[in-house]
Amino acid sequence: MSFARTKIQPPQPRGRVLLARPRVDAPLRAALLAQRLVLVSAPAGWGKSALLARQLQDWPAGVALAWVSADAGDDLPRLLECLVAALEPYDLPWRSAPEALVAGAGEAAGRARFTGELINALEAAEVAHGVIVIDDLHRIDEPDVHRFLDALVERLGPRWTLALVTRHDPPLALARWRAAGELTELRAEGLRWTRDELAGWLAAAGAPAQRLDALLARTEGWAAGVQLALRVEGGGSLGSERAFTDFLASEVIDTLEPGLREFLLQVSVLPELTAARAAAVTGRADAARWLERIEQMGLFVSALDAAEPTLKLHDLFRAALEQRLLQEQPQQLPALLRRAAAGEGDPLRRIALLLRAGDTAGAAQVLLEATPAWITAGALPTVRTTLAQFDAATREHLPAWHLARCLLAWAQGDFPTMDESARTAQSLGRALADAEVEAMGLGYRAIALNFLSRRGLRELGVENLRARSPAPHVVTGVALAWADIDEGRFDEACRRYAGTLTHLERSREPHLWYQGNLGTVGVHIPGMGPLIERWVQGALQVGGDQPLTLRAMALVTRGWHRLLVGGDIDGARAALATTHEELRWLAEPTGVNALATVLELQIEAAAGDAEATRRAARQLLDGPSTGQGHRARWIVANFIAGCAAAVGDAALLAEQAAVLQATPPEGALPGLHGIVLDIAQGHLAWLRGDAEAAAAAWQRALADPVNLVRTRLDAPTRLFLAAARLRTGRPAEAAEPLAGLQTRLQQGAAGALLFARPVAGLLRAADWHGLLEPADRAALEQGLARLGPVGEAPRPASAATPAGLSSRELEVLERLAAGDSNKLIARAFDLSPHTVKRHVANVLDKLAVSSRGQAAAWYRANV
C-alpha cells in the first residue's frame, strides 16, 4: 500500500463532544440509507466531518462503510487505490484484480472498465446497504476524479450511496440528480446551529444559559465559532474563518501552558498525530501523555479509528498553529518538516513535506524510489503530477528527478525524452562524483538508443560499466544483448545476457525484472533458450502472487520458449491457457495481451489449423494491440505473414505482404526489411505454383544468414527452399540449405520446423541418402515425423472436474459455503489475500454466478 492507512479510517465518534442534532441527523441518516448521492458542502468549520462522525455512533448493523479522506494532490489512481482498500473488509467478489484495474484507470477505457467492474462487485457484495464517503473532496482538482465520480453515481445500484464531503461543490452533474430526486444536499445554512441546538449545547457544556443570545449573535451559528466561544471569553465576531483563526491564535494558542503550546506548534507539521511520530518530530519521550491531554481538553482534534491512537488536528486549528510557528520560530520549520518526512510512509506526503522544507534533493530521491512502483501499478499520472511539483530552475540540478522522468518516458515510449533525461542524469552524476547515478544515466541512455536508432550505443562506454547496484548492469546488459543480436553476435549476446541475469538475480524488485526482460525477441536466438527460461523462473518467483503483469509476461514468454525452442505445441498451449487466466485477472493489459495473441497465432499455425490461424490473425489486427506507427504494424504483418505461409493461406499472406512492401525500411526492425519481404514473396510464388520464383526469393534470404536467424524463420525457410528445389528437379541442390540442420535444432530451432508443415510430405518422400550427412538426415527425419498435413489439429482433452474447478477452487468453494471471509480462507489454507481473491473470481467465473452467496448455494445443491 503506497498511501497512509489513515486515509481510509473514519473519524472516531466521541459522544461527549458530538451532541445529537435531530433536525440534521435524522434526514441525513435517511439519505445515507436510501439516496443515490449525498452532498455535504460548506466552508471550513461548519462541522461536516463531525456530522458524518455522529452517524457512526449507532451505524446500523449490516451497513457497509468505506471512508476515503482526500489529500491535496491526490489523482485518480491514488483515490481508486484508497477506495479499493476501504472496501476490502467486505470481500467484494472482484472478477479482475482490483490493483490491475487501478493500474489501467489512467486511460479513458481503463477508467470505464474499473467503473464497470466496481459496480458489478458492489452489486454482488453480501451487504444489506453500503455507503462510500469521500471526505475533503475539495482538495482534489483532478478532472479524471470528477469524471469517475460522475460515472459511479450514474450506475450505482439502490443498495449503495455515495456521500461527498467538500468545501465547495464538485463539477459533477448535480443538477441532473437534483431534478431526478436522487440527491440530498446539506449546506452551510442547514448546518448552522439554531437557538434550540445552542441551548442544548450550552447545557451539555455546563455553560450559563444567559450566554445563549450573545453566543448566537457572535458566531452566527457557525460550529467552529461556537466551539471556540465556549472555550474562551472575549468579544468580537467569530462568524468567519479569518476572525476565527485570529481569535484562535490569541485566545487559545497563546493561553496554553508553555509546554503544551510548544508541543502543538511542533506537531502541527504532521498530517496525523501518533505518539511515535510526535515523539520523533518533537524529541519528547512523553509525547503520548501530551496527546492524551490534547484529546481530553477537546483542543479542536478528532480521533481516527486506527490501529494505534491517532489524532487529527482540525484544519483551521492546524493552520493557526503553523502560522504562529512561522511567526515565532521560522528557523525551526525546515527541521521539523524533515523529521516529519522521515517518519512518513506515504511517498506523496513525504515528498510534499520535504519540498516545504526546501529539501528538493531529498524529495527527488523519494520520488525516484517511488516511481518504479507507481509505474508498475500504472499510476503514470501520479508520476507526471509529482514531477511537476518541483521548481523548474531547481530540478535541473537534481539527478534523481531526471532519472524519475527518464523512467516515466520509458513507460510512455517517449524515447527522445528518455535519452535527454538520461544524458542529463549521467552528466550530473559525473559532476557530483556519484558513480551510481552516472551509471544509471548511462544505462538508460543505452536503452533509449536501442529504441531510437541503435547508433552510437557502443561508443557510450557501457562495456566498462562500474556500479555497485545491479540496476545499471541489468539495463545496459539488456541493451547490449539486443545490439549483439542485431549485429549477429549471437554467442556474445548469450554470454552478455547470462551476466545480466547474474546481476538481476541479486534483486527481488519486480520493476528491475521487467527491465531485465530480453523479451520474445531473443527466444529463438541460438543458445538463448535456457537463459530465457532462467529469466522466466526468476520473474515468477519475484512476482509471486502479486497482481503484476510481470507474471503474465513470464508465462507468455514460457509459451514462446516451449513452442519455438522445444517444438512442444501442447506445452505452449498449456502456457497460453495459464497466460489467459492471468490476463483475465489482470484486466487484460494491452502489451502482454498482444504477445499472447501472437503466441496463439503461432501455435495454431504450428499445429496446421488454418481456420484458427485466421481467427487469431483477425483478433490481432482488429484489437488495440497492434500499436501505432510503421514499426508496430510491420512487426504484426511479419508474424501474420509467416503464420499464413505455414498454413497455406494465400489471401491472408498477400494482405500482409502488401503491408510489408509498403513499409519504409526505417519502419522495420534494423536489417530485416528486405529479407522478410523476400521470404513473404517466396511464399506467395510457392502458393501460386511458381517453384522457381519461390526458390529464387528464398535463396536471396539465405544469402543473409545472420538476419535470417533473427527473423525466427531460418529453419522453415531452409526447408521450403529444399522443397522448391525438389519440385524443380534439383535434389542435390535441395540438400544444400539443410546442411548443419542437426546443429541448428540442437541450438534451439526445433520448434521452427513446425512452420514448414505444408512441405513435410514432399520432404519425407525424398531420398536424402548420399545428399545429407547422417546426423542431418536423422534430424530431418525425426523433425518431419512429427508433422502431419495442414488441417484441423487435435486439441488435448481437459480433465473432468465439477464445473471445471481445480481441487483448490473446490476447497475455497467449500469455505465460501461455510460463510468464511477471505481472511479466514487465507488463514485456513496458508494463502495470501491476493490468491484467495483470485480463487474466488475463478470459482464465480466457472460456476457462471455473480456473488459469493450464489456460489455457496451451488455448492450445497451440487456437491
Side-chain angles (χ1 to χ4, degrees), residues 45 193 198 201-202 211 215 218-219 222-256 297-300 314 316-317 320:
W193 285 80
L198 279 176
W201 198 344
L202 284 175
R211 293 183 58 188
L215 184 64
R218 187 180 181 200
T219 64
W222 185 44
V226 171
Q227 285 186 305
L228 181 57
L230 284 175
R231 292 188 52 83
V232 299
E233 298 293 339
S237 172
L238 291 178
S240 69
E241 184 175 331
R242 174 63 182 273
F244 174 88
T245 303
D246 292 343
F247 196 80
L248 183 64
S250 60
E251 299 299 328
V252 176
I253 296 174
D254 290 346
T255 63
L256 296 172
M297 295 174 65
L299 276 178
F300 304 97
H314 191 288
L316 296 176
F317 189 34

Side-chain angles (χ1 to χ4, degrees), residues 358-420:
D359 186 1
T360 54
Q365 187 60 39
V366 175
L367 169 61
L368 177 58
E369 293 167 0
T371 293
W374 285 339
I375 289 176
T376 299
L380 303 190
T382 303
V383 183
R384 284 193 292 268
T385 301
T386 310
L387 283 167
Q389 292 176 14
F390 289 75
D391 176 78
T394 305
R395 66 195 186 200
E396 290 305 311
H397 307 289
L398 301 174
W401 185 90
H402 288 281
L403 289 175
R405 181 174 182 246
C406 184
L407 286 170
L408 176 63
W410 189 357
Q412 294 174 321
D414 181 1
F415 298 108
T417 298
M418 182 182 180
D419 182 49
E420 173 199 334

Side-chain angles (χ1 to χ4, degrees), residues 638-673:
N638 181 25
F639 276 116
I640 295 177
C643 292
V647 295
D649 190 328
L652 183 61
L653 175 60
E655 173 188 277
Q656 300 308 306
V659 174
L660 296 174
Q661 178 76 54
T663 303
E666 61 272 15
L669 291 176
L672 297 188
H673 183 269

Side-chain angles (χ1 to χ4, degrees), residues 6-7 44-45 48-49 67-76 78-79 134-143 145-146 149 165-171 270-272 302 304 312-319 349 385 389:
T6 50
K7 285 175 65 62
K48 300 183 295 296
S49 296
W67 186 288
V68 176
S69 296
D71 279 337
D74 280 357
D75 55 16
L76 183 60
R78 186 169 162 91
L79 178 73
I134 310 295
D135 193 18
D136 292 328
L137 180 59
H138 57 272
R139 292 177 174 169
I140 301 180
D141 56 6
E142 172 63 47
V145 169
H146 300 130
L149 292 175
V165 184
T166 179
R167 291 185 185 176
H168 51 74
D169 286 4
L270 290 169
E272 294 95 17
S302 58
L304 298 182
K312 185 174 182 179
L313 298 173
H314 191 288
D315 284 349
L316 296 176
F317 189 34
R318 185 179 175 194
R349 287 184 173 184
T385 301
Q389 292 176 14

Side-chain angles (χ1 to χ4, degrees), residues 497-522:
Y497 193 56
T500 300
L501 287 170
T502 300
H503 286 291
L504 187 58
E505 286 161 349
R506 293 166 50 199
S507 169
R508 301 288 299 175
E509 294 294 331
H511 77 275
L512 193 57
W513 280 82
Y514 277 112
Q515 295 175 355
N517 178 20
L518 192 61
T520 52
V521 171

Side-chain angles (χ1 to χ4, degrees), residues 498-589:
T500 300
L501 287 170
T502 300
H503 286 291
L504 187 58
E505 286 161 349
R506 293 166 50 199
S507 169
R508 301 288 299 175
E509 294 294 331
H511 77 275
L512 193 57
W513 280 82
Y514 277 112
Q515 295 175 355
N517 178 20
L518 192 61
T520 52
V521 171
V523 167
H524 57 281
I525 297 302
M528 192 66 77
L531 300 176
I532 296 296
E533 182 61 26
R534 184 173 153 193
W535 177 85
V536 168
Q537 293 282 6
L540 291 175
Q541 290 176 6
V542 169
D545 66 350
Q546 301 176 75
L548 302 173
T549 53
L550 177 63
R551 179 176 172 82
M553 177 64 78
L555 290 171
V556 76
T557 302
R558 172 172 284 173
W560 283 53
H561 178 265
R562 288 179 175 174
L563 180 68
L564 297 181
V565 177
D568 181 2
I569 293 178
D570 289 345
R573 283 197 195 280
L576 179 62
T578 307
T579 301
H580 279 311
E581 288 183 6
E582 195 74 25
L583 290 173
R584 282 194 296 272
W585 181 239
L586 295 174
E588 299 175 349

Side-chain angles (χ1 to χ4, degrees), residues 521-764:
V521 171
V523 167
H524 57 281
I525 297 302
M528 192 66 77
L531 300 176
I532 296 296
E533 182 61 26
R534 184 173 153 193
W535 177 85
V536 168
Q537 293 282 6
L540 291 175
Q541 290 176 6
V542 169
D545 66 350
Q546 301 176 75
L548 302 173
T549 53
L550 177 63
R551 179 176 172 82
M553 177 64 78
L555 290 171
V556 76
T557 302
R558 172 172 284 173
W560 283 53
H561 178 265
R562 288 179 175 174
L563 180 68
L564 297 181
V565 177
D568 181 2
I569 293 178
D570 289 345
R573 283 197 195 280
L576 179 62
T578 307
T579 301
H580 279 311
E581 288 183 6
E582 195 74 25
L583 290 173
R584 282 194 296 272
W585 181 239
L586 295 174
E588 299 175 349
T590 300
V592 188
N593 214 35
L595 292 176
T597 304
V598 174
L599 174 59
E600 182 177 1
L601 172 76
Q602 293 182 102
I603 289 173
E604 303 303 353
D609 190 334
E611 181 57 35
T613 299
R614 281 191 288 273
R615 286 198 302 269
R618 293 266 66 93
Q619 180 182 350
L620 190 61
L621 291 169
D622 296 341
S625 54
T626 55
Q628 302 295 323
H630 287 304
R631 179 165 295 180
R633 188 64 187 87
W634 180 91
I635 291 172
V636 169
N638 181 25
F639 276 116
I640 295 177
C643 292
V647 295
D649 190 328
L652 183 61
L653 175 60
E655 173 188 277
Q656 300 308 306
V659 174
L660 296 174
Q661 178 76 54
T663 303
E666 61 272 15
L669 291 176
L672 297 188
H673 183 269
I675 192 170
V676 164
L677 198 55
D678 281 335
I679 294 172
Q681 289 174 339
H683 284 297
L684 286 172
W686 176 261
L687 290 174
R688 65 174 180 262
D690 190 345
E692 287 286 0
W698 289 328
Q699 181 59 47
R700 290 195 300 272
L702 259 66
D704 188 353
V706 168
N707 283 326
L708 182 59
V709 170
R710 289 178 58 210
T711 67
R712 88 191 181 287
L713 297 173
D714 176 63
T717 300
R718 291 176 180 277
L719 266 64
F720 271 105
L721 176 56
R725 288 177 173 173
L726 286 174
R727 182 160 288 177
T728 55
R730 295 176 287 171
E733 292 181 28
E736 292 175 2
L738 303 181
L741 182 63
Q742 182 194 43
T743 301
R744 288 187 172 84
L745 298 184
Q746 289 175 341
Q747 289 181 338
L753 288 182
L754 299 170
F755 294 87
R757 190 181 299 270
V759 295
L762 183 59
L763 295 174
R764 268 198 299 264

